[in-house]
Amino acid sequence: MSQEQQQQQQQHEMADDDDEREEMRKLLLLSKTPEIASSSSASVLLETNNRLSNNITKLDLFQAGLSSLPECLSRYLPNLSILFCMKNQFQEVPKVIGECPKLQMISFKSNQITTIHPDALQCQLRWLILTDNQIAMIPDTIGRCTRLQKCMLSGNCLRSLPAEIVNCHKLELIRLASNQLQDPPMELLQCLPNLSWIGFSDNPFLQGAFDKIDDKTLYHLDIIPDDNLDDPSLGVELGKGASGITRRYTTTTQLLPSCSNKKNGPYDVAVKEYFANITSDGNPQEERKVSMVASSISSSSCKSLIQVLGRTKKGNLVMELLQDYRVFANPPNMESCSRDVYDDDSMKSISDVQAIAMVEELLHALDQLHQHGICHGDFYGHNILVSNTNNNNKDDTHQVWLTDFGAAFFYDPHSIYGPYIQREWNDERLDIC
């Protein structure tokens, strides 16, 4: 190669470097990550030999109008660990994410994705979120993801899973609600020893499970004729999650005697309005249906399930209002992935006697749910509420409630998959949670 040719090649390489740097600068400008979401920061981070780019571990590209990522992503952000691309216009999970050696968590929720590039799936992945897309097939390279712990695939078009998923030995949580699974995913239930939390609702293989429930167990909810309960402006927000929003209301309408210590009202109640959009757990209307059936249990034989008192004219659920309670744990964070985060002081405040009583109550609740063909699917500390006052008994135990049926689903205990949903350990029925 002549000297002139070498010079031309160097010029081309420099031009390519400039183009890549500009492409990355534009990408960083779209980031919602505060530390890099400015023109000056983006430019400084991408200066030649600037080590600051090595410090970027999280990139949030929420609703940025993107349909692709720069091919040079892994070279400019070698330590990228978390990538959020929710509500963009991607049609494929791109190959380049598999080239990022430290990328552990990715989210392409609510895009237009129909395919996953086989090389996008690599062994470093721990947390995969592809909820609310149009994916019809998972490539067999999912078997490379031996560190995968959490996999969110609800709201897609999956009819089956690849056999290679059995290689994901560390998988602990999977959401497959609102897909097109024709047969139960036995490869998941039989071959993954760490799988503890599942969500299968709204799939063809579960059709008929709800119909097999004894009609006597169904709680036919009465409509509470109070228009105010459907007016958001009259309620006080208690909490908001992916599936809906819960508000506190006061009504003078006569309710079940157990809902209040007042005989003649007014009554304070909690009303949950369910959203229409698909969540990471699945279809919120499935949660509503499970909650209605579970309420029949709470009204008869299980005090650890929140009682549903009726429904509004718009179909929102009216529930007993809990007071003076605390959430048992905080949800998983980026580091813990699938494990709750517990406060040390809160845990120390619970005696051995109280802990045993709580476990017994919760096991009883799970047992009752399974007897009615319901898998909770999300048995977590952050879905457990504990009263701050004791039950006025000599054991000084506290009331405990199991909440959040977002991932719950009806199943047939007598089916081929039933025994794997409902496991027998030490003669006690436990959830696969």
Side-chain angles (χ1 to χ4, degrees):
M1 182 182 295
S2 67
Q3 185 175 1
E4 182 179 354
Q5 289 174 325
Q6 289 178 348
Q7 290 177 345
Q8 289 178 347
Q9 181 177 346
Q10 289 175 352
Q11 289 174 352
H12 284 306
E13 290 176 352
M14 290 176 63
D16 289 342
D17 287 343
D18 289 341
D19 291 342
E20 287 182 351
R21 191 175 293 109
E22 177 62 17
E23 190 176 15
M24 286 299 302
R25 188 186 71 84
K26 291 179 178 180
L27 183 73
L28 294 183
L29 287 175
L30 296 172
S31 174
K32 304 301 188 293
T33 310
E35 294 79 8
I36 57 179
S38 70
S39 177
S40 58
S41 296
S43 299
V44 170
L45 287 169
L46 295 175
E47 288 295 329
T48 305
N49 298 324
N50 193 306
R51 289 182 296 176
L52 287 176
S53 62
N54 292 338
N55 295 331
I56 297 179
T57 59
K58 179 180 177 181
L59 193 59
D60 186 353
L61 298 169
F62 173 79
Q63 210 164 3
L66 294 170
S67 58
S68 64
L69 294 173
E71 294 183 3
C72 59
L73 181 68
S74 61
R75 295 198 299 277
Y76 278 86
L77 304 179
N79 292 316
L80 186 65
S81 176
I82 300 170
L83 176 63
F84 292 145
C85 294
M86 181 178 173
K87 291 191 175 180
N88 280 283
Q89 300 168 19
F90 288 89
Q91 296 183 5
E92 180 183 59
V93 179
K95 174 184 177 181
V96 68
I97 67 170
E99 299 171 358
C100 299
K102 297 185 179 180
L103 189 56
Q104 300 183 55
M105 178 181 184
I106 63 170
S107 173
F108 284 85
K109 181 180 178 180
S110 301
N111 277 260
Q112 302 162 25
I113 295 173
T114 58
T115 59
I116 303 171
H117 193 288
D119 290 335
L121 302 175
Q122 299 293 343
C123 62
Q124 64 268 28
L125 197 60
R126 292 179 61 211
W127 195 333
L128 177 63
I129 304 172
L130 299 175
T131 307
D132 189 23
N133 283 286
Q134 296 119 41
I135 301 169
M137 184 185 71
I138 304 296
D140 55 18
T141 51
I142 188 71
R144 297 173 180 167
C145 302
T146 54
R147 297 182 63 206
L148 186 65
Q149 293 175 254
K150 205 167 186 176
C151 188
M152 317 297 276
L153 296 169
S154 294
N156 280 285
C157 306
L158 298 172
R159 299 176 66 88
S160 63
L161 297 176
E164 288 77 8
I165 200 167
V166 300
N167 295 323
C168 302
H169 298 297
K170 292 189 176 182
L171 187 63
E172 297 177 350
L173 182 150
I174 191 166
R175 297 288 186 246
L176 287 161
S178 300
N179 274 278
Q180 297 298 319
L181 295 175
Q182 304 297 312
D183 299 304
M186 300 302 293
E187 59 273 21
L188 286 179
L189 299 173
Q190 291 178 311
C191 304
L192 295 178
N194 294 312
L195 187 62
S196 300
W197 299 277
I198 59 175
F200 291 155
S201 68
D202 198 20
N203 273 289
F205 82 89
L206 289 176
Q207 286 182 357
F210 176 77
D211 298 331
K212 292 183 179 181
I213 298 175
D214 187 347
D215 283 343
K216 294 179 181 179
T217 69
L218 294 179
Y219 186 59
H220 299 283
L221 297 178
D222 294 329
I223 295 177
I224 297 176
D226 185 344
D227 292 334
N228 291 338
L229 298 179
D230 280 321
D231 187 345
S233 66
L234 298 178
V236 177
E237 183 175 327
L238 297 173
K240 184 177 182 180
S243 65
I245 182 170
T246 303
R247 303 181 180 92
R248 175 177 180 164
Y249 289 86
T250 299
T251 181
T252 57
T253 303
Q254 181 65 47
L255 301 172
L256 294 178
S258 59
C259 76
S260 174
N261 55 9
K262 301 177 182 178
K263 294 183 178 181
N264 300 313
Y267 306 100
D268 291 329
V269 295
V271 177
K272 182 163 186 177
E273 175 188 357
Y274 290 88
F275 298 148
N277 297 334
I278 292 293
T279 73
S280 295
D281 288 334
N283 186 344
Q285 294 306 316
E286 289 291 308
E287 175 187 352
R288 178 180 175 276
K289 185 163 66 174
V290 172
S291 297
M292 291 174 64
V293 176
S295 70
S296 69
I297 307 171
S298 67
S299 63
S300 57
S301 60
C302 186
K303 63 181 181 179
S304 293
L305 298 174
I306 296 175
Q307 187 175 6
V308 180
L309 307 171
R311 56 191 175 96
T312 69
K313 292 181 179 180
K314 291 185 177 181
N316 299 324
L317 295 190
V318 182
M319 301 171 287
E320 62 173 315
L321 179 68
L322 303 184
Q323 300 189 49
D324 195 24
Y325 64 86
R326 67 184 185 276
V327 181
F328 188 51
N330 295 312
N333 56 29
M334 303 297 182
E335 183 178 351
S336 66
C337 189
S338 61
R339 300 294 177 174
D340 274 334
V341 179
Y342 291 86
D343 179 77
D344 289 339
D345 292 336
S346 177
M347 294 299 294
K348 291 177 181 178
S349 66
I350 299 175
S351 67
D352 291 345
V353 171
Q354 292 170 345
I356 292 172
M358 287 172 57
V359 170
E360 289 177 345
E361 284 294 332
L362 292 169
L363 288 179
H364 178 63
L366 293 177
D367 179 77
Q368 290 295 308
L369 289 173
H370 278 291
Q371 287 192 35
H372 290 73
I374 298 173
C375 177
H376 185 272
D378 209 15
F379 187 58
Y380 264 110
H382 67 266
N383 289 328
I384 295 171
L385 306 180
V386 182
S387 64
N388 288 322
T389 55
N390 62 42
N391 288 331
N392 295 319
N393 57 44
K394 61 181 180 180
D395 293 330
D396 193 34
T397 56
H398 292 241
Q399 173 67 43
V400 61
W401 296 272
L402 177 60
T403 68
D404 193 347
F405 286 87
F409 58 93
F410 295 101
Y411 75 100
D412 181 359
H414 305 293
S415 66
I416 187 174
Y417 63 86
Y420 297 97
I421 300 293
Q422 182 177 284
R423 294 175 175 173
E424 298 290 341
W425 291 337
N426 297 325
D427 295 326
E428 287 187 336
R429 188 172 298 160
L430 299 181
D431 222 18
I432 197 173
C433 308

